[in-house]
Amino acid sequence: MSIIHNPEIIGKKRRLASLSETSGRFSMLAIDQRQSLRKMLSSQTGQAPESVPEESLELVKRVITSRLAHKASAILTDPFMGYATTWEFIPGSTGILLSLEQTGYSTVNKGERLTRLLSDWSVEKALLAGADGIKLLIWYDKHASSAVLEHQMGLVQSTGEACYRHAIPFVLEVVCYSSDEISATGPEYAQKKAVRVIDAASEFSDPRYRVDLLKLEFPGNLKYVKEFQSRSFHGGSVIHDLSEIRDFCRSVNEASRVPWVILSAGVEPEEFIEAIQLCNDAGASGFLCGRAVWQDVIRHFPDLAAMERYLETTATGAFDLILTANKNAVPWQQHKHFK
Amino acid sequence: MSIIHNPEIIGKKRRLASLSETSGRFSMLAIDQRQSLRKMLSSQTGQAPESVPEESLELVKRVITSRLAHKASAILTDPFMGYATTWEFIPGSTGILLSLEQTGYSTVNKGERLTRLLSDWSVEKALLAGADGIKLLIWYDKHASSAVLEHQMGLVQSTGEACYRHAIPFVLEVVCYSSDEISATGPEYAQKKAVRVIDAASEFSDPRYRVDLLKLEFPGNLKYVKEFQSRSFHGGSVIHDLSEIRDFCRSVNEASRVPWVILSAGVEPEEFIEAIQLCNDAGASGFLCGRAVWQDVIRHFPDLAAMERYLETTATGAFDLILTANKNAVPWQQHKHFK
């Protein structure tokens, strides 16, 4: 009789299957925003960010989840304002990814960023609550002080161990920054960004972190690509050409020893679709995006009927285009890590 | 901030959603047969049951799972010969129900039956391996000796507690028997059977067992129903009329404080479809059936191509008819237990 020698390995893969489409492609929708959603609501309502009531955030999370969850291979949400009030809207066939970290970061040493875990929450509790995967966001500047690096890498490692013990996939989001720079979106950052994303992929796919899937930034900035000068999302300056961008994407894929997906960082759908196709062509396994799909819902807040209408028409249309663009994603089962 | 006070409750419901269709109806396929499958293969090959190699059982489980799992809301399988060799064929959108008990039973006191748990296996291991639910089969004769009853009920209770601790749905299958009777399928048993199934529903839906879903036998026998005398499955004798059967089904539903599904016990699809509709009309939440869908695949063993052809045509057709008959199932979320 065959014995299940390693239920942990089967469990991880089984839960990765729950997070992905049947094809093995990831088409995951994020609605775990807290601070950024608060700011969006603040702009819309004129309230100070800290005065935006939690009920407003919960309402937005609920209406987005109820209208879009069925189209996603998984929903990424935060446990308290998100999952606790939206879980009933997530179909059984859509996977659940729960975030582990507090929103934002603590700043130390003039601009170095520390990720903090949510209190009263853990990998164990997420599994108990029905999660199919755990997401941790880590701020990463390889030139940060060794105390900060140790803290950040220690968090990744202990989360990786807890996920391994419980046979639950570990999705690590790495957001690169540099404490001595002001803008992470301007043209002067675009070139540096590619190098940092490649470094991050190499570092955090090391087996000691036990990461199963990396959620990465786009390695470069499509707003400054020569071939996209006529596109609505173009930013004016030209920093890259497309072949350089393709090289960056390939380098990310070569650097990463585990499957990876691309995040949207709130760019418009038209730009995100280009990003997805470029990454998937280089070997990515799909996307995990949020604001690129639903951000304009905030413009209709607090008119619930208008929010629903926007989600059912414009946002659904954008998501459908993104899903079509994702057809060339590499199924995670075909990644060298799982062969 | 809303806190998840009871992740266990959300987790159980979330996993019930994984086991059911999006509608909340259960359309689950069982392929956890071991002893009965061995006997079927023995009849087909002429080998003694104990000489049928495990590879033959695994092959049958694999081909059935690969051809039918995508149509079921969940697959019930045994961990070792089943799940260990078939898990890669189960889509992420189909739930996983793993059995906890050894096949068959141990006999004590002249015909009293004891359920035994699989060694090297537990609720914890099943969860680790990716199960969305646990199934335990319990043999039940309310007139058995108190030692046997204590053993059986103790098993149910300890399984219920382990499932509660791990927030994983507990599906209890109750098979009624009487140690002083020879046939459980003949006409003389049909009337007694209804009373026993009703008793079982009442006993095992008691909150102390923490059962989330009962898997029950049909309360009566459609082979002996007056109105079905012209049907191919009719057995000749007439024991019930249809209104009596409807009363039995309603009594099961009233007796059960938790949602319930009907099992097929290997009857032909035509008969099982009548059973499903009668039970669902009375308040059942769908079915968990195996042999009614796939049993004739054994006639083609070991011709793999013929087995695949049979599953893709005849068995798929039968399953489609059964799914259509299941449209009147009561979604589990609408059951009084979850309101």
Side-chain angles (χ1 to χ4, degrees):
Chain A
M1 185 179 288
S2 322
I3 295 288
I4 299 188
H5 284 295
N6 297 96
E8 302 82 4
I9 292 172
I10 298 183
K12 279 232 183 194
K13 290 189 180 179
R14 168 65 197 168
R15 294 188 174 100
L16 282 169
S18 297
L19 295 173
S20 60
E21 299 173 6
T22 303
S23 63
R25 299 180 193 109
F26 294 100
S27 48
M28 301 185 284
L29 186 69
I31 174 63
D32 70 326
Q33 288 77 359
R34 284 150 287 173
Q35 199 159 278
S36 59
L37 185 55
R38 201 173 273 283
K39 284 182 193 156
M40 291 163 84
L41 283 165
S42 160
S43 306
Q44 169 72 6
T45 61
Q47 295 163 303
E50 62 279 12
S51 307
V52 173
E54 277 166 18
E55 290 69 25
S56 300
L57 279 84
E58 289 173 358
L59 182 145
V60 171
K61 286 170 185 279
R62 211 156 43 232
V63 66
I64 293 172
T65 304
S66 69
R67 291 312 189 274
L68 296 176
H70 67 284
K71 294 190 99 66
S73 70
I75 288 284
L76 164 63
T77 189
D78 59 296
F80 302 141
M81 283 186 293
Y83 191 57
T85 65
T86 63
W87 65 272
E88 288 183 277
F89 299 105
I90 306 171
S93 51
T94 298
I96 305 278
L97 192 55
L98 294 181
S99 39
L100 207 61
E101 79 284 349
Q102 292 179 25
T103 187
Y105 46 81
S106 316
T107 308
V108 290
N109 307 335
K110 300 185 182 164
E112 294 186 9
R113 300 176 187 177
L114 293 178
T115 298
R116 301 283 187 195
L117 299 186
L118 284 164
S119 354
D120 247 336
W121 189 240
S122 63
V123 171
E124 290 83 342
K125 284 192 182 173
L127 184 64
L128 211 53
D132 302 296
I134 301 296
K135 170 255 182 178
L136 176 70
L137 184 157
I138 206 84
W139 297 94
Y140 182 56
D141 172 6
K142 70 186 284 192
H143 304 294
S145 62
S146 62
V148 164
L149 285 174
E150 265 171 41
H151 175 272
Q152 295 296 84
M153 284 150 159
L155 265 189
V156 178
Q157 217 163 336
S158 60
T159 303
E161 277 159 23
C163 287
Y164 178 77
R165 259 195 329 271
H166 294 281
I168 189 162
F170 178 20
V171 180
L172 180 70
E173 173 174 5
V174 189
V175 180
C176 299
Y177 74 100
S178 174
S179 53
D180 55 12
E181 280 157 5
I182 297 158
S183 167
T185 53
E188 69 282 2
Y189 185 69
Q191 202 83 22
K192 289 183 185 170
K193 192 179 165 202
V195 176
R196 287 179 187 161
V197 174
I198 296 162
D199 269 352
S202 172
E203 173 63 30
F204 292 104
S205 64
D206 187 284
R208 76 174 178 279
Y209 297 113
R210 298 183 181 279
V211 168
D212 298 292
L213 182 69
L214 282 170
K215 177 186 177 191
L216 297 174
E217 298 172 278
F218 189 77
N221 193 327
L222 296 179
K223 290 185 173 61
Y224 309 116
V225 168
K226 193 178 72 181
E227 287 85 346
F228 292 151
Q229 283 181 94
S230 63
R231 302 289 285 276
S232 64
F233 57 79
H234 203 268
S237 315
V238 167
I239 305 288
H240 317 286
D241 65 17
L242 211 44
S243 75
E244 187 186 33
I245 289 282
R246 287 190 185 279
D247 284 344
F248 289 152
C249 292
R250 270 193 292 270
S251 297
V252 172
N253 192 61
E254 277 157 28
S256 181
R257 280 153 285 188
V258 299
W260 59 290
V261 292
I262 193 75
L263 58 81
S264 73
V267 302
E268 293 293 322
E270 187 185 342
E271 179 179 346
F272 190 53
I273 282 170
E274 297 295 343
I276 289 173
Q277 288 178 325
L278 287 160
C279 291
N280 287 346
D281 279 347
S285 293
F287 65 84
L288 173 41
C289 83
R291 288 168 291 165
V293 171
W294 53 254
Q295 60 193 338
D296 289 344
V297 76
I298 303 300
R299 295 192 195 170
H300 302 286
F301 182 89
D303 180 346
L304 188 60
M307 291 169 78
E308 289 172 349
R309 205 160 44 237
Y310 161 82
L311 289 165
E312 287 164 8
T313 55
T314 313
T316 294
F319 203 9
D320 284 342
L321 289 174
I322 287 170
L323 289 171
T324 303
N326 197 42
K327 297 280 185 219
N328 64 336
V330 176
W332 62 265
Q333 300 93 331
Q334 289 176 25
H335 191 276
K336 57 188 182 251
H337 181 62
F338 288 106
K339 280 198 168 172
Chain B
M1 185 179 287
S2 322
I3 296 287
I4 299 188
H5 285 296
N6 297 96
E8 302 82 5
I9 292 171
I10 299 183
K12 278 232 184 195
K13 289 188 179 179
R14 169 65 198 169
R15 294 188 173 98
L16 281 169
S18 297
L19 294 173
S20 60
E21 299 173 7
T22 303
S23 63
R25 300 181 192 107
F26 293 100
S27 47
M28 302 186 282
L29 185 69
I31 174 64
D32 71 326
Q33 288 77 0
R34 284 150 286 174
Q35 199 159 278
S36 60
L37 185 54
R38 202 173 270 284
K39 284 182 191 156
M40 291 163 84
L41 283 165
S42 159
S43 304
Q44 170 71 6
T45 61
Q47 294 163 304
E50 62 278 13
S51 306
V52 173
E54 277 166 18
E55 290 70 25
S56 299
L57 279 84
E58 289 173 359
L59 183 144
V60 171
K61 286 170 185 279
R62 210 156 45 232
V63 67
I64 292 172
T65 303
S66 70
R67 291 311 189 276
L68 296 176
H70 67 284
K71 294 190 99 65
S73 70
I75 288 284
L76 164 63
T77 189
D78 59 297
F80 302 141
M81 283 187 293
Y83 191 57
T85 65
T86 63
W87 65 272
E88 289 184 276
F89 299 105
I90 306 171
S93 51
T94 299
I96 304 278
L97 192 55
L98 294 181
S99 38
L100 207 61
E101 80 283 350
Q102 290 180 27
T103 187
Y105 46 81
S106 315
T107 308
V108 290
N109 308 335
K110 300 184 183 166
E112 295 186 9
R113 299 176 187 177
L114 292 178
T115 298
R116 301 285 187 194
L117 299 186
L118 283 165
S119 355
D120 248 336
W121 189 240
S122 63
V123 171
E124 290 83 342
K125 284 192 182 174
L127 184 65
L128 210 54
D132 302 296
I134 301 295
K135 170 253 180 178
L136 176 69
L137 185 157
I138 206 84
W139 298 94
Y140 183 54
D141 173 5
K142 70 186 284 193
H143 303 295
S145 61
S146 62
V148 164
L149 285 173
E150 264 170 43
H151 175 273
Q152 295 297 84
M153 283 149 158
L155 264 190
V156 178
Q157 217 163 336
S158 61
T159 304
E161 277 159 24
C163 287
Y164 178 76
R165 261 196 326 274
H166 295 281
I168 190 163
F170 178 21
V171 180
L172 180 70
E173 174 174 5
V174 190
V175 180
C176 299
Y177 74 100
S178 175
S179 54
D180 56 12
E181 282 158 5
I182 296 159
S183 166
T185 52
E188 70 282 1
Y189 185 68
Q191 201 83 21
K192 289 183 185 168
K193 192 179 166 202
V195 176
R196 286 178 188 163
V197 174
I198 295 162
D199 269 351
S202 172
E203 173 64 30
F204 291 104
S205 64
D206 187 285
R208 77 174 178 279
Y209 297 113
R210 298 183 180 279
V211 168
D212 298 292
L213 182 69
L214 281 170
K215 177 186 177 190
L216 297 174
E217 298 172 279
F218 188 79
N221 194 326
L222 296 178
K223 289 184 173 62
Y224 309 117
V225 167
K226 193 178 72 180
E227 287 85 346
F228 291 151
Q229 283 181 95
S230 65
R231 301 288 285 275
S232 65
F233 57 79
H234 203 269
S237 314
V238 167
I239 306 286
H240 317 286
D241 65 18
L242 211 43
S243 75
E244 187 186 34
I245 289 283
R246 286 190 186 280
D247 285 343
F248 288 152
C249 292
R250 269 193 292 270
S251 298
V252 171
N253 192 60
E254 278 157 28
S256 180
R257 279 153 286 188
V258 299
W260 59 290
V261 292
I262 193 74
L263 59 80
S264 73
V267 303
E268 292 293 322
E270 187 184 342
E271 179 180 345
F272 189 52
I273 282 170
E274 297 295 343
I276 288 174
Q277 289 178 326
L278 288 160
C279 291
N280 287 347
D281 280 345
S285 293
F287 65 84
L288 173 41
C289 83
R291 288 168 291 165
V293 171
W294 52 254
Q295 61 194 336
D296 289 344
V297 75
I298 302 301
R299 293 192 196 170
H300 302 285
F301 182 90
D303 179 345
L304 188 60
M307 291 169 79
E308 289 171 349
R309 206 162 42 239
Y310 161 83
L311 289 165
E312 287 163 8
T313 55
T314 313
T316 292
F319 203 8
D320 284 342
L321 289 174
I322 287 170
L323 289 171
T324 303
N326 196 42
K327 296 280 185 222
N328 64 335
V330 177
W332 60 266
Q333 300 93 332
Q334 290 175 24
H335 190 276
K336 57 187 183 248
H337 182 62
F338 288 106
K339 280 200 167 173

